[in-house]
Amino acid sequence: MSNTQTAADPELIVFSDDEEAKDRQFVNALARGLEVLRCFRPGEVYLSNADMAKRTGIPKPTISRLTYTLTKLGYLNYSDSLGKYQLGAGVLALGYRMLSNLDVRKMARALMEELAEHAQASVSLGTRDRLSMVYVETCRSSANVTLRLDVGSRIPLMTTAMGKALLCILPQAERDYLMDHARLHETQRWPRIKAGIEQGFKDYQDRGFCISAGEWQNDVHAVGVPMLGADGEQVMAFNCGGPAFLLSREKLEGDLGPRLVALVKTVEKNLGRG
């Protein structure tokens, strides 16, 4: 998957000049500043003002003011030699505080490690960010061949087992909104993606888990199960996935799917929701 983003990228918002006029509670300047921070993708260290202007659709003079302010606040660092910016410690501090407040990570860790070793695969916990799932915890087995995705990694919402599982327990209005948004950005692939999502809904109703067998990447198979957080509102999902040649559909359906369902039930019980 390419890290190149454009203003049409569904993960970024393109702002119009009259955004504030449409919603008096919406602080356009703040939103634009946050979109600047979202421009950075895994593997990208430095971006220029021109890069960020292209990705967000925000005029370059405005980008320059935003990056100057974010640098003053410690959310960006500026390289004089490169004339580019990188994320600062302020962003890391915010992310760490968010993760440290997720009790579910601590409660699930041992169970995730046990399942990962049994499956000789990876087990992860994620939450939704727009049209992606973001890993907030992950455990890998001792196997030499496994998925190398770490905390902070992003995977698609619509074609992964974790993403489809999360869609299954979203309110209907929110689910419809996300699917409509995804359809606009996946016009050619949408019929196939939609069919996979609908199969995921059926699998969840029948078995309590969703499967992605080559829908995201041809050589990756996974199973996913959704979960509500301790407050009963935050929606998250677990997955167990790895190379397709190690995780057959039969293994996902007959072994790993039921085990992941049991893991989620145990975590929910420990959170006081069981």
Side-chain angles (χ1 to χ4, degrees):
M1 294 178 64
S2 171
N3 284 330
T4 302
Q5 305 291 322
T6 68
D9 193 319
E11 297 299 340
L12 296 175
I13 296 175
V14 181
F15 294 95
S16 62
D17 292 334
D18 61 346
E19 189 74 47
E20 285 185 319
K22 296 178 182 178
D23 186 349
R24 302 303 298 181
Q25 294 295 108
F26 188 85
V27 182
N28 205 25
L30 174 60
R32 290 185 174 195
L34 293 174
E35 289 305 299
V36 166
L37 298 178
R38 294 177 68 97
C39 284
F40 292 85
R41 300 302 180 193
E44 291 183 329
V45 179
Y46 292 101
L47 292 176
S48 67
N49 282 334
D51 294 331
M52 290 181 271
K54 183 178 180 180
R55 294 184 179 190
T56 62
I58 299 173
K60 188 176 177 181
T62 302
I63 288 288
S64 297
R65 294 194 298 271
L66 291 170
T67 53
Y68 174 83
T69 303
L70 290 167
T71 300
K72 286 289 187 180
L73 295 173
Y75 295 107
L76 290 177
N77 293 327
Y78 181 70
S79 169
D80 289 317
S81 61
L82 297 175
K84 295 183 178 183
Y85 295 86
Q86 66 179 146
L87 293 175
V91 176
L92 177 63
L94 288 177
Y96 177 78
R97 288 168 192 165
M98 181 268 187
L99 290 176
S100 66
N101 288 329
L102 285 177
D103 291 340
V104 63
R105 296 172 65 238
K106 302 173 185 176
M107 293 182 178
R109 179 80 190 179
L111 296 170
M112 293 170 66
E113 290 176 341
E114 181 180 354
L115 179 56
E117 197 60 34
H118 168 82
Q120 290 293 280
S122 298
V123 178
S124 302
L125 170 65
T127 187
R128 184 180 72 82
D129 179 35
R130 298 185 181 176
L131 293 180
S132 294
M133 295 296 293
V134 180
Y135 282 8
V136 297
E137 184 64 280
T138 188
C139 299
R140 288 194 288 263
S141 74
S142 58
N144 291 327
V145 180
T146 187
L147 296 180
R148 298 292 176 180
L149 295 173
D150 297 314
V151 172
S153 295
R154 302 172 71 90
I155 62 174
L157 175 66
M158 299 291 168
T159 56
T160 60
M162 176 184 280
K164 291 195 293 183
L166 182 133
L167 286 172
C168 288
I169 62 171
L170 287 181
Q172 186 68 46
E174 184 177 357
R175 181 195 304 167
D176 291 345
Y177 172 82
L178 292 171
M179 291 182 66
D180 285 344
H181 193 44
R183 175 177 54 81
L184 295 175
H185 293 274
E186 294 283 2
T187 52
Q188 294 184 343
R189 298 174 57 221
W190 182 245
R192 183 177 179 181
I193 292 173
K194 183 181 178 183
I197 294 170
E198 290 174 346
Q199 182 62 49
F201 294 159
K202 184 178 186 303
D203 288 341
Y204 178 67
Q205 291 176 350
D206 294 343
R207 304 171 178 171
F209 56 84
C210 298
I211 289 175
S212 175
E215 294 171 51
W216 170 40
Q217 294 184 0
N218 291 335
D219 57 350
V220 174
H221 284 187
V223 62
V225 177
M227 187 192 76
L228 289 175
D231 58 5
E233 296 182 2
Q234 184 177 25
V235 183
M236 309 182 80
F238 288 85
N239 70 7
C240 178
F245 71 89
L246 291 178
L247 304 183
S248 66
R249 179 177 284 274
E250 291 73 22
K251 186 171 184 178
L252 294 177
E253 292 177 350
D255 181 23
L256 301 184
R259 286 178 181 271
L260 191 61
V261 171
L263 181 154
V264 172
K265 287 182 178 178
T266 299
V267 174
E268 288 179 331
K269 182 178 180 180
N270 291 341
L271 288 171
R273 298 195 58 254

